[in-house]
Amino acid sequence: MTGEKLLEKLELADPAYVQAASEPPAAKKRPWTRWAAGAAACVCLLASAAAVAAGGCTWLLDTFTARGAPGSELTQSGYDLAADVEKFPVSALTGEIQEAGEEIARQFENYDLFSSWYPGTLRRTRFPSAAEAREYIGLEALRGLDWELEETRTNLDVTGDPQGRLLRIQLETDYEVEGVRLQAFATIFTEDSEDTVIIGARTTEDVAFRESLRTTAGGRQYQVITDMGLASGYFGMDGYLVEDGVLYNLHLAYLREDEALAESLLCQWAELF
């Protein structure tokens, strides 16, 4: 299996790993001098794992490299995190998103066992901006990023059950800065979702992962997971934090020479909360 087969989600996905693994590295080095000030202003201090867990954010459960099941030649690398998030009542979703539950219920009703897809997830891609997607959701606790970056794409994925109850809503906003690809996720869990929230990543490549726990200048703690490089030449970096009960995640895919820029962008993202 190649890097194009990356990642099977537990609760959330990092689709940028798939995209990064399937594209060859860019040959041209891109300048990033205008982002240097952001790197200098960002304070990233190491924190303790106990402090992060106590703060109701995310904490690392496990990392593994080339782990295989007994009797199988297939191996996987990845990590698992636990997240302490709020389970919002569906009544708190005051936008038009309620219609998504009806569509998901119809998916189950019309499902053919011989189909190549499985019901339960609805994707919306018609939003011209993340602001309009947030309005569609209508959750007061959901924050927008006051970030001076141009959005390249906004997707909304809604997961539900056969009764049409909404379980999870994930808003994805994409950016690209000087060759570094960014995907900003905001994920909402409802009162009907599973009690335990486990998030993570899987790849068929033999790659190690490194964790760091950081604190912004304003005292906000967040967790960072970095991979040690894929066969495509790309590296991946993920930041995780919980704000007002919503899980936020920034995934960055970058080449080795753009690591400092990726670090700067991650710190800028964390400082927005």
Side-chain angles (χ1 to χ4, degrees):
M1 249 181 216
T2 68
E4 295 181 2
K5 302 289 188 182
L6 291 175
L7 287 186
E8 296 177 0
K9 269 273 193 192
L10 301 181
E11 285 276 2
L12 304 174
D14 279 335
Y17 272 111
V18 180
Q19 182 182 12
S22 64
E23 297 183 10
K28 183 179 179 181
K29 176 67 174 69
R30 296 173 174 83
W32 59 277
T33 52
R34 71 171 179 261
W35 297 100
C42 181
V43 179
C44 295
L45 304 176
L46 293 181
S48 68
V52 171
C57 295
T58 63
W59 58 99
L60 185 65
L61 297 175
D62 189 23
T63 65
F64 49 91
T65 302
R67 185 173 72 183
S72 173
E73 296 181 358
L74 177 66
T75 62
Q76 292 183 330
S77 303
Y79 61 85
D80 296 332
L81 305 176
D84 181 13
V85 299
E86 183 171 346
K87 300 300 182 66
F88 292 95
V90 176
S91 59
L93 307 175
T94 60
E96 299 178 20
I97 196 169
Q98 299 292 348
E99 66 185 18
E102 299 174 2
E103 293 189 42
I104 290 174
R106 284 195 292 271
Q107 286 182 357
F108 283 97
E109 291 174 1
N110 301 324
Y111 176 60
D112 184 342
L113 291 176
F114 299 99
S115 298
S116 58
W117 63 280
Y118 190 78
T121 301
L122 186 66
R123 165 162 283 206
R124 298 290 196 200
T125 59
R126 60 178 174 82
F127 300 103
S129 69
E132 294 193 36
R134 291 193 301 272
E135 184 178 351
Y136 176 80
I137 297 170
L139 179 66
E140 185 176 353
L142 181 59
R143 297 187 53 160
L145 297 180
D146 187 16
W147 208 352
E148 294 181 357
L149 298 182
E150 182 179 354
E151 300 174 4
T152 60
R153 183 179 63 175
T154 298
N155 291 328
L156 185 66
D157 290 298
V158 184
T159 303
D161 65 10
Q163 289 71 46
R165 294 178 299 185
L166 302 182
L167 305 178
R168 190 185 74 219
I169 299 101
Q170 185 177 75
L171 174 61
E172 172 194 347
T173 307
D174 296 353
Y175 312 87
E176 183 165 350
V177 179
E178 314 243 350
V180 177
R181 295 195 294 269
L182 306 93
Q183 291 173 287
F185 297 94
T187 308
I188 301 159
F189 296 87
T190 76
E191 58 193 352
D192 294 317
S193 61
E194 295 292 331
D195 290 340
T196 303
V197 175
I198 304 295
I199 59 179
R202 299 290 185 271
T203 172
T204 56
E205 295 190 27
D206 295 347
V207 59
F209 293 85
R210 179 181 62 202
E211 177 199 26
S212 60
L213 302 164
R214 308 180 185 183
T215 304
T216 67
R220 157 64 63 190
Q221 293 181 342
Y222 62 106
Q223 188 169 25
V224 179
I225 306 293
T226 308
D227 69 46
M228 299 294 98
L230 304 175
S232 64
Y234 276 92
F235 292 77
M237 182 186 302
D238 281 87
Y240 296 91
L241 60 82
V242 176
E243 178 75 12
D244 294 333
V246 179
L247 176 62
Y248 295 91
N249 163 221
L250 180 69
H251 177 84
L252 305 98
Y254 57 94
L255 298 173
R256 169 68 79 181
E257 60 263 32
D258 293 321
E259 181 176 4
L261 172 57
E263 286 278 3
S264 173
L265 291 166
L266 178 63
C267 288
Q268 290 177 35
W269 168 80
E271 293 286 355
L272 296 174
F273 293 90

